[in-house]
Amino acid sequence: MKTGMNILLVGVGGQGTILASKILSHVALAQGWDVKMSEIHGMAQRGGSVVTQVRLGEKVYSPIIEPGEADIIVGFEKLEAYRWTHMLRPGGTMIVNDQKIEPLPVLIGAAAYPEGIIEAIGERVNSLTVVPALDLAAKLGNPKAANVVLMGVLASVMDIARETWDAALAARVPARFLELNQRAFAAGFDYRDGKEA
Amino acid sequence: MKTLLTGNEAIARGAYEYGVSVAAAYPGTPSTEILENIAKYPEIYCQWSPNEKVAMEVGIGAAIAGARTIVTMKHVGVNVAADPLFTAAYTGVRGGLVLVSADDPGMHSSQNEQDNRNYAPFAKIPMLEPSDSQEAKDMVKLALDMSERFDTPVLLRITTRIAHSQSLVELGEPMERAVEPYKKDAKKYVMIPAYARTRRLFIEERDKQLADFSETVEVNRVEMRDPSFGIVTSGVSYQYVREAFPDASVLRLGMTHPLPKEKIADFAEAVDVLFVVEELDPYLEDRIRAMGIEVIGKSILPAYGELSVNLVKKQILAVLGVIGEPGEDASGEAAAASDSDSAEDSGACGCDCACDEAAACATQPGESSRAAEPFDAPIRPPVMCPGCPHRGVFYILRELRLVVSGDIGCYTLGTMAPLEAMDTCICMGASISGALGMEKANPDLARRLVSVIGDSTFLHSGVTGLMDIVYNGGTSTVLILDNSITAMTGHQHNPSTGQTLMGKEAPVVDFVALAKALGVKRVVEVDPLDLDRVKAVLKEEVAAPEPSVIITRRPCALIVKNTEKALECVGCKGCKACLRIGCPALSFDKATRKVVVNSALCTGCGLCAQLCMFDALRKAGE
Ligand code: SF4
Ligand code: SF4
């Protein structure tokens, strides 16, 4: 981690990006890194586009990630991943939840939800993992845990010990949801392996 | 112990650690979470006030009574609070008094982006600007100490990126919370002209002492490195500068009024070329230039929106001749970007909502050359929630083709397609008084003019407008959409909700009795979910040639536990009539040419069903 790392979490208000970013920053802190995290809140519940920027490293100044400088983007929704793809650095990693949430202009027919989003992203991004996070979470008993599934996938591409993530999960998730979230995390963590196998 | 805190949490923590006993505010993004976090410390008395002026006055009273006090608001709130603030600058304090102004460069959630640093010299009070959360906390202490030592309110000015960014903060133990014993001192606290003139002279003296203090205070820090160029900066801009130029010489100003003129002059002397990097107005730049020092600032950096590392880097390197010419179009870039992105989605919603995160980030000027072009993605504007009980009111307003004088809050979202039901939105409370002005200028408007305002905004500053309508013979209709909470900023209590910030039960304002007491004879309550009735009442009240108030009462969908079943769409004819309600739970399936209800989002409010001529939308199972 000499060079630092920029991680962008993008999604739709209400998808649980905030919990995800809390887990991530907990992990970073446990590593002894400097961390800055920036998000604009207030509208989370009103369905707007939500972006959380997490920067880690020995010393972090700006809380903001510049376009073309994100090392990893986690898209909690396809269109949001697409909207922010330009933020990824060349060679960066992208994790996209294969979920579609139509924005109001699309719902009322004033705009179209772009076709072939995943393919378009795939043409630009070499390291792309598409995750059916909603299905995976639903299978475990609660689609709301999709955010934690995605954190599991993120963990699997980052060079941080699994125990650190487990500890962060235990610290940040309310006890009564912990078991479910641990399983959701594990499903995400093993997802890429499973695919390659 | 170090922990990650937002700037807002850090300020709250500072209030706790450094002996604050009283805190007051009106919620406003990006300042809201300061008081929400202070409320977690039962040692501190804290309250939401009905508006920022009242909060400021509560703070001034508390400080005069001897308590360490903090008052917080968003930038536009300071306009509301300016009246008492300017005179508190004369009276000074007994306990320390800190005013936090949270500015919003880039207008993530505001109707303008005024630079409140200008208030400090205007009101003649000192100002501090933190660059991260640790400093936000530390500066609460510094501000309180300065306030007591120099007998003045102190402005602690932050911006969205400080308020809502998390960085590491070292936590400390709280000091003792002591309230100075009260002593009457009319010559100091009664600002009749004779006494005020004495205090006016005191301010001149205080300003000199503060200017000296500014020369030595640690937060004004020279970081001398490569002398070939130097940068004067403050606030979050310091972070952009440091990241862009780790080896540059920097004068980081933490106290930005009064300025440390000698320190600035010495620094200017020590470097070959001097730059100022600051967001919004050329506040530092103008003052440095007025000292006769040559400096480069807004000629290469935009005077609006947010700065970024890349922009700062690119523009300064260009001047230094390392890379070509400075991009003259630096400001043009920012303008073009915001035109294409934000104007449509959130710019339209000029309200207290963090609605244009997407647009704001996309407008970061000076994009890195490494960055690819963004894909062309349809915007995702914030919308009124599925099941918002007041959505239908906007549908009817549009249907009746009324002129709608709008206000700040969730209901500003009634501006967006497909509701498109607002004509104006200026500031808190302006809907009602603005309507009076419209009517006076153009009496023909009166019979189709409605002002629309939420409960919290009405209590903030709508009451006086309504009083004015009655007093000065206005005849328009005021719609109070009472959702029983201050919803837009994240559900804070207000005098109509029955609860205080500290969790105590409170009496509830009776809007009907209040309107009547102001002299309104026609006051009607209506259930906003009954669209026929809303329509009939609106028609009748707008037609009446005297002032009237309609109160639509239903709590915000996000604060009630919903027990209704979701709707389902059976036998849809594809006429799309229901889509005009703009509920995010409804969509049109192009393949089947039928409307589909998203049962995960639908609250079963039934508004859409009232628009369906074919009775296709029904409660599931009915
Ligand atoms: S927060 Fe409440 S009042 Fe605001 S749009 Fe949503 S349901 Fe309506
Ligand atoms: S009943 Fe209709 S308008 Fe109400 S929440 Fe459900 S889909 Fe939306």
Side-chain angles (χ1 to χ4, degrees), chain B residues 409-462:
Chain B
C410 286
Y411 308 130
T412 317
L413 298 172
T415 286
M416 315 298 280
L419 295 167
E420 294 178 315
M422 296 236 301
D423 288 68
T424 60
C425 173
I426 310 296
C427 70
M428 296 285 290
S431 59
I432 302 181
S433 21
L436 178 61
M438 288 167 106
E439 170 177 3
K440 291 295 176 187
N442 185 350
D444 290 346
L445 283 178
R447 296 286 62 78
R448 52 195 185 99
L449 185 57
V450 175
S451 28
V452 175
I453 190 165
D455 50 329
S456 190
T457 314
F458 180 70
L459 294 172
H460 178 286
S461 49

Tab-separated table of all heavy atoms in Angstrom, chain B residues 409-462:
chain	number	residue	atom	x	y	z
B	409	GLY	N	-37.557	22.395	0.278
B	409	GLY	CA	-37.881	21.147	0.964
B	409	GLY	C	-38.188	20.056	-0.045
B	409	GLY	O	-37.965	20.222	-1.236
B	410	CYS	N	-38.704	18.918	0.442
B	410	CYS	CA	-39.065	17.818	-0.467
B	410	CYS	C	-39.926	18.310	-1.611
B	410	CYS	O	-39.818	17.830	-2.734
B	410	CYS	CB	-39.905	16.763	0.256
B	410	CYS	SG	-38.988	15.742	1.367
B	411	TYR	N	-40.806	19.234	-1.300
B	411	TYR	CA	-41.809	19.599	-2.297
B	411	TYR	C	-41.216	20.379	-3.450
B	411	TYR	O	-41.867	20.567	-4.473
B	411	TYR	CB	-42.967	20.334	-1.633
B	411	TYR	CG	-43.487	19.549	-0.469
B	411	TYR	CD1	-43.686	20.121	0.769
B	411	TYR	CD2	-43.689	18.169	-0.613
B	411	TYR	CE1	-44.119	19.357	1.845
B	411	TYR	CE2	-44.112	17.401	0.456
B	411	TYR	CZ	-44.323	17.995	1.676
B	411	TYR	OH	-44.734	17.241	2.730
B	412	THR	N	-39.979	20.815	-3.307
B	412	THR	CA	-39.317	21.406	-4.471
B	412	THR	C	-39.221	20.359	-5.575
B	412	THR	O	-39.137	20.685	-6.751
B	412	THR	CB	-37.903	21.888	-4.087
B	412	THR	OG1	-37.975	22.538	-2.824
B	412	THR	CG2	-37.371	22.879	-5.096
B	413	LEU	N	-39.249	19.085	-5.169
B	413	LEU	CA	-39.174	17.999	-6.153
B	413	LEU	C	-40.414	17.949	-7.032
B	413	LEU	O	-40.413	17.300	-8.075
B	413	LEU	CB	-38.956	16.652	-5.452
B	413	LEU	CG	-37.646	16.519	-4.652
B	413	LEU	CD1	-37.629	15.226	-3.854
B	413	LEU	CD2	-36.436	16.570	-5.576
B	414	GLY	N	-41.474	18.654	-6.634
B	414	GLY	CA	-42.679	18.747	-7.456
B	414	GLY	C	-42.421	19.510	-8.742
B	414	GLY	O	-43.272	19.587	-9.624
B	415	THR	N	-41.228	20.094	-8.847
B	415	THR	CA	-40.794	20.791	-10.051
B	415	THR	C	-40.499	19.835	-11.195
B	415	THR	O	-40.638	20.173	-12.367
B	415	THR	CB	-39.476	21.537	-9.709
B	415	THR	OG1	-39.812	22.650	-8.921
B	415	THR	CG2	-38.733	21.983	-10.929
B	416	MET	N	-40.049	18.617	-10.822
B	416	MET	CA	-39.508	17.698	-11.816
B	416	MET	C	-40.620	17.031	-12.618
B	416	MET	O	-41.729	16.848	-12.130
B	416	MET	CB	-38.688	16.614	-11.114
B	416	MET	CG	-37.748	17.128	-10.049
B	416	MET	SD	-36.520	18.238	-10.702
B	416	MET	CE	-35.393	17.034	-11.382
B	417	ALA	N	-40.270	16.627	-13.848
B	417	ALA	CA	-41.201	15.861	-14.660
B	417	ALA	C	-41.504	14.561	-13.922
B	417	ALA	O	-40.621	14.030	-13.269
B	417	ALA	CB	-40.587	15.559	-16.022
B	418	PRO	N	-42.697	14.008	-14.033
B	418	PRO	CA	-43.816	14.519	-14.837
B	418	PRO	C	-44.719	15.503	-14.087
B	418	PRO	O	-45.689	15.966	-14.678
B	418	PRO	CB	-44.594	13.241	-15.141
B	418	PRO	CG	-44.390	12.392	-13.921
B	418	PRO	CD	-43.015	12.722	-13.407
B	419	LEU	N	-44.424	15.805	-12.824
B	419	LEU	CA	-45.347	16.663	-12.075
B	419	LEU	C	-45.261	18.112	-12.575
B	419	LEU	O	-46.270	18.753	-12.825
B	419	LEU	CB	-45.052	16.576	-10.571
B	419	LEU	CG	-45.314	15.190	-9.959
B	419	LEU	CD1	-44.720	15.085	-8.565
B	419	LEU	CD2	-46.812	14.879	-9.904
B	420	GLU	N	-44.050	18.607	-12.697
B	420	GLU	CA	-43.797	19.948	-13.266
B	420	GLU	C	-44.792	20.982	-12.781
B	420	GLU	O	-45.379	21.723	-13.565
B	420	GLU	CB	-43.820	19.871	-14.800
B	420	GLU	CG	-42.674	19.042	-15.333
B	420	GLU	CD	-42.694	18.895	-16.839
B	420	GLU	OE1	-43.782	18.636	-17.400
B	420	GLU	OE2	-41.624	19.029	-17.452
B	421	ALA	N	-44.936	21.061	-11.465
B	421	ALA	CA	-46.015	21.872	-10.916
B	421	ALA	C	-45.535	23.113	-10.173
B	421	ALA	O	-46.216	23.587	-9.282
B	421	ALA	CB	-46.866	21.008	-9.993
B	422	MET	N	-44.336	23.637	-10.497
B	422	MET	CA	-43.903	24.808	-9.743
B	422	MET	C	-43.472	25.929	-10.666
B	422	MET	O	-42.865	25.692	-11.698
B	422	MET	CB	-42.724	24.444	-8.842
B	422	MET	CG	-43.100	23.429	-7.799
B	422	MET	SD	-42.772	23.964	-6.148
B	422	MET	CE	-41.054	24.263	-6.209
B	423	ASP	N	-43.801	27.147	-10.261
B	423	ASP	CA	-43.393	28.316	-11.051
B	423	ASP	C	-42.166	29.011	-10.471
B	423	ASP	O	-41.351	29.557	-11.210
B	423	ASP	CB	-44.543	29.327	-11.128
B	423	ASP	CG	-45.651	28.837	-12.037
B	423	ASP	OD1	-46.326	27.843	-11.664
B	423	ASP	OD2	-45.831	29.401	-13.125
B	424	THR	N	-42.058	29.036	-9.144
B	424	THR	CA	-40.921	29.727	-8.521
B	424	THR	C	-40.451	28.965	-7.287
B	424	THR	O	-41.220	28.230	-6.666
B	424	THR	CB	-41.307	31.142	-8.020
B	424	THR	OG1	-42.350	31.010	-7.052
B	424	THR	CG2	-41.780	32.033	-9.156
B	425	CYS	N	-39.173	29.175	-6.932
B	425	CYS	CA	-38.651	28.678	-5.654
B	425	CYS	C	-37.406	29.509	-5.345
B	425	CYS	O	-36.423	29.436	-6.077
B	425	CYS	CB	-38.302	27.197	-5.740
B	425	CYS	SG	-37.469	26.612	-4.259
B	426	ILE	N	-37.467	30.322	-4.324
B	426	ILE	CA	-36.373	31.266	-4.052
B	426	ILE	C	-35.626	30.921	-2.769
B	426	ILE	O	-34.439	30.680	-2.779
B	426	ILE	CB	-36.911	32.716	-3.941
B	426	ILE	CG1	-37.796	33.063	-5.135
B	426	ILE	CG2	-35.752	33.704	-3.790
B	426	ILE	CD1	-37.121	33.076	-6.477
B	427	CYS	N	-36.326	30.933	-1.667
B	427	CYS	CA	-35.669	30.628	-0.388
B	427	CYS	C	-36.741	30.229	0.613
B	427	CYS	O	-37.930	30.291	0.310
B	427	CYS	CB	-34.871	31.825	0.113
B	427	CYS	SG	-35.914	33.203	0.646
B	428	MET	N	-36.320	29.818	1.789
B	428	MET	CA	-37.251	29.394	2.827
B	428	MET	C	-38.321	30.473	3.060
B	428	MET	O	-37.993	31.619	3.372
B	428	MET	CB	-36.501	29.158	4.138
B	428	MET	CG	-35.483	28.024	4.103
B	428	MET	SD	-36.200	26.373	4.129
B	428	MET	CE	-36.826	26.283	5.805
B	429	GLY	N	-39.565	30.113	2.904
B	429	GLY	CA	-40.678	31.006	3.228
B	429	GLY	C	-41.122	31.922	2.104
B	429	GLY	O	-42.176	32.549	2.193
B	430	ALA	N	-40.334	32.007	1.042
B	430	ALA	CA	-40.622	32.988	-0.011
B	430	ALA	C	-41.875	32.648	-0.811
B	430	ALA	O	-42.394	33.496	-1.535
B	430	ALA	CB	-39.431	33.118	-0.950
B	431	SER	N	-42.364	31.412	-0.692
B	431	SER	CA	-43.548	31.057	-1.482
B	431	SER	C	-44.714	31.980	-1.159
B	431	SER	O	-45.381	32.482	-2.065
B	431	SER	CB	-43.939	29.606	-1.193
B	431	SER	OG	-44.205	29.419	0.184
B	432	ILE	N	-44.934	32.211	0.112
B	432	ILE	CA	-46.145	32.926	0.517
B	432	ILE	C	-46.005	34.429	0.250
B	432	ILE	O	-46.852	35.045	-0.409
B	432	ILE	CB	-46.446	32.664	2.017
B	432	ILE	CG1	-46.608	31.148	2.234
B	432	ILE	CG2	-47.691	33.419	2.442
B	432	ILE	CD1	-46.922	30.745	3.648
B	433	SER	N	-44.933	35.011	0.718
B	433	SER	CA	-44.740	36.444	0.505
B	433	SER	C	-44.551	36.735	-0.976
B	433	SER	O	-45.018	37.754	-1.489
B	433	SER	CB	-43.565	36.962	1.330
B	433	SER	OG	-42.700	35.901	1.679
B	434	GLY	N	-43.886	35.811	-1.676
B	434	GLY	CA	-43.707	35.991	-3.124
B	434	GLY	C	-45.050	36.020	-3.840
B	434	GLY	O	-45.264	36.806	-4.769
B	435	ALA	N	-45.961	35.168	-3.401
B	435	ALA	CA	-47.289	35.141	-4.021
B	435	ALA	C	-48.002	36.473	-3.806
B	435	ALA	O	-48.689	36.981	-4.704
B	435	ALA	CB	-48.112	33.992	-3.439
B	436	LEU	N	-47.812	37.044	-2.627
B	436	LEU	CA	-48.442	38.347	-2.370
B	436	LEU	C	-47.912	39.388	-3.358
B	436	LEU	O	-48.666	40.181	-3.930
B	436	LEU	CB	-48.174	38.785	-0.922
B	436	LEU	CG	-48.731	40.160	-0.528
B	436	LEU	CD1	-50.253	40.197	-0.660
B	436	LEU	CD2	-48.319	40.531	0.907
B	437	GLY	N	-46.614	39.360	-3.566
B	437	GLY	CA	-46.018	40.301	-4.516
B	437	GLY	C	-46.540	40.079	-5.934
B	437	GLY	O	-46.846	41.036	-6.653
B	438	MET	N	-46.660	38.814	-6.324
B	438	MET	CA	-47.162	38.513	-7.668
B	438	MET	C	-48.578	39.052	-7.850
B	438	MET	O	-48.922	39.648	-8.865
B	438	MET	CB	-47.149	36.990	-7.900
B	438	MET	CG	-45.757	36.400	-8.082
B	438	MET	SD	-45.780	34.593	-7.986
B	438	MET	CE	-45.574	34.174	-9.693
B	439	GLU	N	-49.356	38.853	-6.803
B	439	GLU	CA	-50.752	39.289	-6.877
B	439	GLU	C	-50.846	40.818	-6.952
B	439	GLU	O	-51.659	41.367	-7.694
B	439	GLU	CB	-51.498	38.763	-5.641
B	439	GLU	CG	-52.882	39.326	-5.476
B	439	GLU	CD	-53.630	38.752	-4.285
B	439	GLU	OE1	-53.043	37.944	-3.529
B	439	GLU	OE2	-54.811	39.119	-4.127
B	440	LYS	N	-50.004	41.493	-6.171
B	440	LYS	CA	-50.050	42.958	-6.169
B	440	LYS	C	-49.607	43.504	-7.522
B	440	LYS	O	-50.108	44.522	-7.993
B	440	LYS	CB	-49.151	43.523	-5.058
B	440	LYS	CG	-49.663	43.241	-3.655
B	440	LYS	CD	-50.982	43.942	-3.386
B	440	LYS	CE	-51.543	43.582	-2.009
B	440	LYS	NZ	-52.899	44.128	-1.790
B	441	ALA	N	-48.645	42.835	-8.134
B	441	ALA	CA	-48.149	43.315	-9.423
B	441	ALA	C	-49.128	42.995	-10.539
B	441	ALA	O	-49.265	43.757	-11.491
B	441	ALA	CB	-46.791	42.663	-9.728
B	442	ASN	N	-49.791	41.864	-10.404
B	442	ASN	CA	-50.666	41.412	-11.482
B	442	ASN	C	-51.919	40.798	-10.882
B	442	ASN	O	-52.007	39.596	-10.693
B	442	ASN	CB	-49.911	40.395	-12.344
B	442	ASN	CG	-50.711	39.966	-13.548
B	442	ASN	OD1	-51.909	40.276	-13.655
B	442	ASN	ND2	-50.073	39.261	-14.449
B	443	PRO	N	-52.911	41.646	-10.589
B	443	PRO	CA	-54.112	41.164	-9.899
B	443	PRO	C	-54.816	40.034	-10.655
B	443	PRO	O	-55.513	39.231	-10.043
B	443	PRO	CB	-55.003	42.411	-9.833
B	443	PRO	CG	-54.052	43.570	-9.929
B	443	PRO	CD	-52.924	43.110	-10.804
B	444	ASP	N	-54.588	39.931	-11.962
B	444	ASP	CA	-55.224	38.845	-12.710
B	444	ASP	C	-54.728	37.475	-12.244
B	444	ASP	O	-55.408	36.470	-12.426
B	444	ASP	CB	-54.904	38.969	-14.206
B	444	ASP	CG	-55.618	40.165	-14.811
B	444	ASP	OD1	-56.536	40.698	-14.136
B	444	ASP	OD2	-55.244	40.575	-15.918
B	445	LEU	N	-53.523	37.463	-11.689
B	445	LEU	CA	-52.973	36.183	-11.237
B	445	LEU	C	-53.706	35.657	-10.008
B	445	LEU	O	-53.709	34.460	-9.736
B	445	LEU	CB	-51.485	36.340	-10.877
B	445	LEU	CG	-50.469	36.405	-12.011
B	445	LEU	CD1	-49.077	36.605	-11.444
B	445	LEU	CD2	-50.522	35.118	-12.827
B	446	ALA	N	-54.314	36.575	-9.249
B	446	ALA	CA	-54.807	36.209	-7.921
B	446	ALA	C	-55.730	35.000	-7.944
B	446	ALA	O	-55.679	34.164	-7.042
B	446	ALA	CB	-55.511	37.407	-7.280
B	447	ARG	N	-56.565	34.885	-8.972
B	447	ARG	CA	-57.543	33.800	-8.965
B	447	ARG	C	-56.991	32.481	-9.508
B	447	ARG	O	-57.721	31.550	-9.775
B	447	ARG	CB	-58.817	34.203	-9.731
B	447	ARG	CG	-59.594	35.359	-9.109
B	447	ARG	CD	-60.382	35.009	-7.820
B	447	ARG	NE	-59.566	34.572	-6.696
B	447	ARG	CZ	-58.856	35.380	-5.898
B	447	ARG	NH1	-58.853	36.668	-6.080
B	447	ARG	NH2	-58.145	34.904	-4.907
B	448	ARG	N	-55.676	32.431	-9.742
B	448	ARG	CA	-55.082	31.126	-10.070
B	448	ARG	C	-53.699	30.967	-9.417
B	448	ARG	O	-52.814	30.341	-9.932
B	448	ARG	CB	-54.999	30.934	-11.581
B	448	ARG	CG	-54.337	32.046	-12.333
B	448	ARG	CD	-54.637	31.922	-13.824
B	448	ARG	NE	-53.914	32.920	-14.580
B	448	ARG	CZ	-52.781	32.689	-15.219
B	448	ARG	NH1	-52.235	31.503	-15.215
B	448	ARG	NH2	-52.191	33.659	-15.884
B	449	LEU	N	-53.587	31.570	-8.243
B	449	LEU	CA	-52.287	31.623	-7.572
B	449	LEU	C	-52.311	30.853	-6.247
B	449	LEU	O	-53.169	31.087	-5.410
B	449	LEU	CB	-51.945	33.099	-7.320
B	449	LEU	CG	-50.600	33.451	-6.741
B	449	LEU	CD1	-49.466	32.913	-7.598
B	449	LEU	CD2	-50.478	34.968	-6.623
B	450	VAL	N	-51.350	29.963	-6.096
B	450	VAL	CA	-51.274	29.148	-4.878
B	450	VAL	C	-49.826	29.125	-4.398
B	450	VAL	O	-48.918	28.960	-5.199
B	450	VAL	CB	-51.703	27.691	-5.178
B	450	VAL	CG1	-51.518	26.813	-3.969
B	450	VAL	CG2	-53.146	27.649	-5.628
B	451	SER	N	-49.607	29.326	-3.106
B	451	SER	CA	-48.260	29.054	-2.606
B	451	SER	C	-48.265	27.706	-1.905
B	451	SER	O	-49.226	27.329	-1.248
B	451	SER	CB	-47.737	30.152	-1.687
B	451	SER	OG	-48.758	30.812	-1.032
B	452	VAL	N	-47.157	26.976	-2.075
B	452	VAL	CA	-47.055	25.625	-1.528
B	452	VAL	C	-45.857	25.565	-0.596
B	452	VAL	O	-44.746	25.915	-0.987
B	452	VAL	CB	-46.876	24.598	-2.662
B	452	VAL	CG1	-46.645	23.214	-2.093
B	452	VAL	CG2	-48.094	24.597	-3.565
B	453	ILE	N	-46.084	25.120	0.615
B	453	ILE	CA	-45.017	25.152	1.621
B	453	ILE	C	-45.202	23.988	2.591
B	453	ILE	O	-46.329	23.571	2.860
B	453	ILE	CB	-45.051	26.532	2.348
B	453	ILE	CG1	-43.830	26.739	3.236
B	453	ILE	CG2	-46.356	26.713	3.140
B	453	ILE	CD1	-43.648	28.194	3.676
B	454	GLY	N	-44.100	23.444	3.075
B	454	GLY	CA	-44.180	22.352	4.042
B	454	GLY	C	-44.355	22.884	5.459
B	454	GLY	O	-44.231	24.093	5.704
B	455	ASP	N	-44.599	22.005	6.396
B	455	ASP	CA	-44.846	22.431	7.778
B	455	ASP	C	-43.635	23.115	8.400
B	455	ASP	O	-43.741	24.194	8.994
B	455	ASP	CB	-45.313	21.254	8.643
B	455	ASP	CG	-44.426	20.022	8.518
B	455	ASP	OD1	-43.858	19.814	7.428
B	455	ASP	OD2	-44.292	19.262	9.486
B	456	SER	N	-42.455	22.517	8.210
B	456	SER	CA	-41.275	23.085	8.852
B	456	SER	C	-40.923	24.434	8.233
B	456	SER	O	-40.560	25.380	8.935
B	456	SER	CB	-40.093	22.115	8.701
B	456	SER	OG	-39.016	22.526	9.483
B	457	THR	N	-41.032	24.526	6.929
B	457	THR	CA	-40.722	25.777	6.241
B	457	THR	C	-41.733	26.863	6.612
B	457	THR	O	-41.380	28.033	6.761
B	457	THR	CB	-40.698	25.539	4.720
B	457	THR	OG1	-39.951	24.362	4.454
B	457	THR	CG2	-40.080	26.703	3.993
B	458	PHE	N	-42.995	26.456	6.764
B	458	PHE	CA	-44.015	27.426	7.177
B	458	PHE	C	-43.665	28.009	8.542
B	458	PHE	O	-43.732	29.212	8.768
B	458	PHE	CB	-45.395	26.752	7.222
B	458	PHE	CG	-46.501	27.676	7.639
B	458	PHE	CD1	-46.921	28.703	6.798
B	458	PHE	CD2	-47.110	27.550	8.881
B	458	PHE	CE1	-47.935	29.582	7.182
B	458	PHE	CE2	-48.119	28.418	9.278
B	458	PHE	CZ	-48.531	29.434	8.428
B	459	LEU	N	-43.233	27.138	9.454
B	459	LEU	CA	-42.882	27.636	10.793
B	459	LEU	C	-41.577	28.429	10.750
B	459	LEU	O	-41.371	29.350	11.533
B	459	LEU	CB	-42.756	26.460	11.763
B	459	LEU	CG	-44.080	25.731	12.012
B	459	LEU	CD1	-43.851	24.467	12.823
B	459	LEU	CD2	-45.089	26.637	12.701
B	460	HIS	N	-40.686	28.072	9.835
B	460	HIS	CA	-39.403	28.769	9.684
B	460	HIS	C	-39.639	30.230	9.321
B	460	HIS	O	-39.158	31.140	9.985
B	460	HIS	CB	-38.583	28.067	8.600
B	460	HIS	CG	-37.250	28.675	8.288
B	460	HIS	ND1	-37.106	29.849	7.571
B	460	HIS	CD2	-35.992	28.253	8.557
B	460	HIS	CE1	-35.809	30.116	7.425
B	460	HIS	NE2	-35.117	29.166	8.017
B	461	SER	N	-40.391	30.466	8.269
B	461	SER	CA	-40.571	31.857	7.855
B	461	SER	C	-41.752	32.049	6.921
B	461	SER	O	-41.829	33.034	6.217
B	461	SER	CB	-39.291	32.375	7.200
B	461	SER	OG	-38.831	31.467	6.230
B	462	GLY	N	-42.694	31.100	6.964
B	462	GLY	CA	-43.913	31.291	6.183
B	462	GLY	C	-44.975	32.054	6.957
B	462	GLY	O	-45.815	32.743	6.378
